[in-house]
Each structure stands twice: as C-alpha cells, then as structure tokens.
Amino acid sequence: MVRSNNPKEWLKKRVMSGMRPTGKLHIGHYMGVLRNWTAFQDEYASYFCVADWHALTTKYNATDDLKQNIIDVVTDWLASGIDPDKSIIYVQSLVPETSELHLLLSMITPRNWVERDPTLKDTVKMIRGGEEIVSYGLMGYPVLQTADIIQFNASVVPVGRDQLAHLEISRDIARRFNHIYGTDYFVEPQPKLTQTPLLKGIDGQKMGKSHNNDIKISDTREDTTKKIMRAITDRSRIKKTDPGHPDECEAICPYYEIFADEQTVKKQRYNCENALWGCADCKRELACIINKYFEGIRAGRRELEQNPDYVSNVIKSGSEKARAAASESLKKVKEIMKMY
Ligand code: TRP
C-alpha cells in the first residue's frame, strides 16, 4: 500500500482518474466525467492526472500547444469544483516514477493483451487510414494507464465507457504481478461509470472538438447561444406552424432532458408538438438554461484565468505530492521484485 504519514489519509480508499490534455473541455466532460470526480473528493484520497504522455502516443508531433492545453484542462477542472485542498491534481510527466513502473509492468504483460484491447484497436485502425505511424509507445497505452492507477493502489477509477477495456487489462496486470511475485500488494482497480447519459454534440453526433459541435465550459454566453442557434433540429418541420416531433429532434431535446427541470421539459414538448414554439424559440430558451447552469463555473474560470500563478502552483504542488506517493510505491514494487 502507498503509505502516508497522515494516518487518516492512510485509511482512506483511493480514487484515480485522468484525461489527456486535448485543450479546453466541453460541457459533456463536465456532465459525464468531472461531476463524477468531484463526488469522490470528500471520502476518497483522490488523484487526478493530466496524461501528457498518453497524448504523445498519437500526437507526438503536436507538442506546440501541449503546455497550454495542460493549463486549460487544469483550469477547467478547478472551475468545475475539483478542489486542490482535497484532491491531488498532477501532470503525468512530472511524476517520472510512473514511467519506471510502466517499464517493469511492460515486462510481465503478454503482448496479445494489448493487441486485443478493442479501444486500442480502434485507434490503430484510425491511424492506419491516415498519415501517422502506430508507435511502440501507443501499444503500451493501457500498460502506462495501469501504472498511473496502481502506483497509488487506487481501487476506484471513474471513467467513461470507452475506458472499460483498458481497465480490464489493468486488473489483469495487477493480478498477474501479484501472482508472479507471490504478493497481494496491488489492488485490482474497478471502474465507476457516471449516471449521466452521454451528451451528444449540437448536431446529434458524438461531442468533440474535432467535430466542431461542442459547447465549451469556457465558452461565453454569446458563443453558447450562437452555437445552439445554428443546431439542426427537426428536419420534417418546414414551417413554424407545422407541429414538431420532440422525439426525433436529436440535437436540442436531449439537452432539455438533462439541463431543464421536469416542468420545463413538459412545457417545451407541449409547445413543440402544438406548434406554439418554433425551433428557434426552443433553442433560445435552451441557451438561457445552459448559460444559467454554467454561470458560476464560468465566472470562476475567468477569475482563474487572471491568476496563472495560482494554477501553475496547483500543478506544481500536486505533482510533488503525487511523486512522493509514487516513489514510495515504486520502492516497494522493486523490493517485491527483488531488484538490485
Ligand atoms: N485514457 C484516458 C482517456 O483517454 C486518460 C487516462 C490516462 C486515464 N491515465 C488514466 C484514465 C488513468 C483513468 C485512469 O480518457
């Protein structure tokens, strides 16, 4: 176990999760992931990692924006309620001990375990269709992620569905290590999925920066309203006087279900089905609801943007704490393996 000088901390269970620094986060990240993370902060010792090495597994040649992306991600986390007094926020590459554990784990991981990881297979397929290479490092993606998690002996990993395959490998590797070296040192980490349904983009497709269909946590009210107003809604509704079909509206109606209260949803459906509201009315109202929902978070974010030193100190001190824990854990692993 990762020991801590503070006996209370030592008794706490640990939670660990991470994100690649892809830039400013969207409201799907907030609803689906960050709210899930903040729920653990009080009861678990929490480690949240900006996985910059994982970003390099595919974006090794796009490092110009890497630093700023890390800062943007951490700023979004802080604005969303990840509290550095409760949780350890750190940057993966500032904890080099993780890479040593990754190397040791890579020695005991059968090659076919990573080769059959479906999430990784998808990435490989996507890359093969383009210009980039499938690197040796990319094949180690789930092994590196395993090192992230089990170095803190985290028992819970709040993630999205796409990470379940990686996490299964993590449990297999932890179990295999324990078996080979006759120990029960590593805990097998369990996933914790969020309750919120996946938030689609304003075009009804998967929300993402590359699809240009996302609303950012950091967007202004005006940006948000503009983006929502240009969403495509009910294609069978030509004139405003035509009755609408809320169940066929993939872009706007699902947002009402998530962000509006029951009564507002009822009113919206009624007004749509009875042609009292046109799609533009419906969108305008939704923009108001979403802007209100994120008002406080956005105000907090703007304040953080004015305090770059604060954000960089959070990163520095969190990474030092993560490093201290990772270093103790690595020492223990090397003892178990009877390394020199
Ligand atoms: N692979 C994760 C993602 O793309 C990011 C990640 C890196 C992670 N290390 C982790 C998630 C450890 C959970 C635990 O979202």
Side-chain angles (χ1 to χ4, degrees), residues 157-264:
V157 186
V159 282
R161 234 164 245 296
D162 60 321
Q163 299 297 310
L164 292 182
H166 294 328
L167 218 58
E168 197 177 326
I169 295 185
S170 295
R171 287 193 295 280
D172 289 344
I173 294 175
R175 197 177 314 130
R176 185 166 159 80
F177 180 95
N178 288 348
H179 173 74
I180 292 174
Y181 301 106
T183 176
D184 60 1
Y185 179 66
F186 283 130
V187 173
E188 290 177 29
Q190 303 298 330
K192 173 82 183 149
L193 292 171
T194 156
Q195 298 308 316
T196 318
L198 195 69
L199 203 58
K200 297 246 181 85
I202 44 171
D203 53 1
Q205 307 300 310
K206 183 176 187 249
M207 189 184 288
K209 188 166 68 169
S210 51
H211 299 98
N212 193 25
N213 64 355
D214 61 345
I215 298 170
K216 301 264 196 297
I217 294 173
S218 52
D219 277 345
T220 61
R221 300 170 62 90
E222 292 74 25
D223 292 337
T224 306
T225 308
K226 234 187 261 165
K227 286 181 181 177
I228 292 175
M229 292 312 286
R230 58 157 215 257
I232 294 164
T233 43
D234 189 345
R235 288 175 200 275
S236 60
R237 196 172 177 195
I238 316 276
K239 294 187 303 253
K240 193 172 163 178
T241 47
D242 296 340
H245 311 91
D247 293 325
E248 281 161 44
C249 162
E250 285 188 6
I252 298 300
C253 288
Y255 279 87
Y256 270 93
E257 303 283 342
I258 291 171
F259 288 102
D261 57 52
E262 216 175 303
Q263 213 164 358
T264 309

Side-chain angles (χ1 to χ4, degrees), residues 16-20 51 54 141 145 148-149 157 159 163 166:
M16 195 276 153
S17 197
M19 271 185 206
R20 280 166 299 153
H54 276 112
Y141 192 111
Q145 182 157 332
D148 287 337
I149 299 165
V157 186
V159 282
Q163 299 297 310
H166 294 328

Side-chain angles (χ1 to χ4, degrees), residues 8-9 11-15 37-46 86-87:
K8 268 212 185 120
E9 283 297 312
L11 286 172
K12 270 188 178 174
K13 280 184 138 194
R14 279 161 301 276
V15 66
W37 287 10
T38 50
F40 284 99
Q41 293 189 107
D42 289 316
E43 283 170 41
Y44 285 70
S46 315
K86 294 180 186 165
S87 300

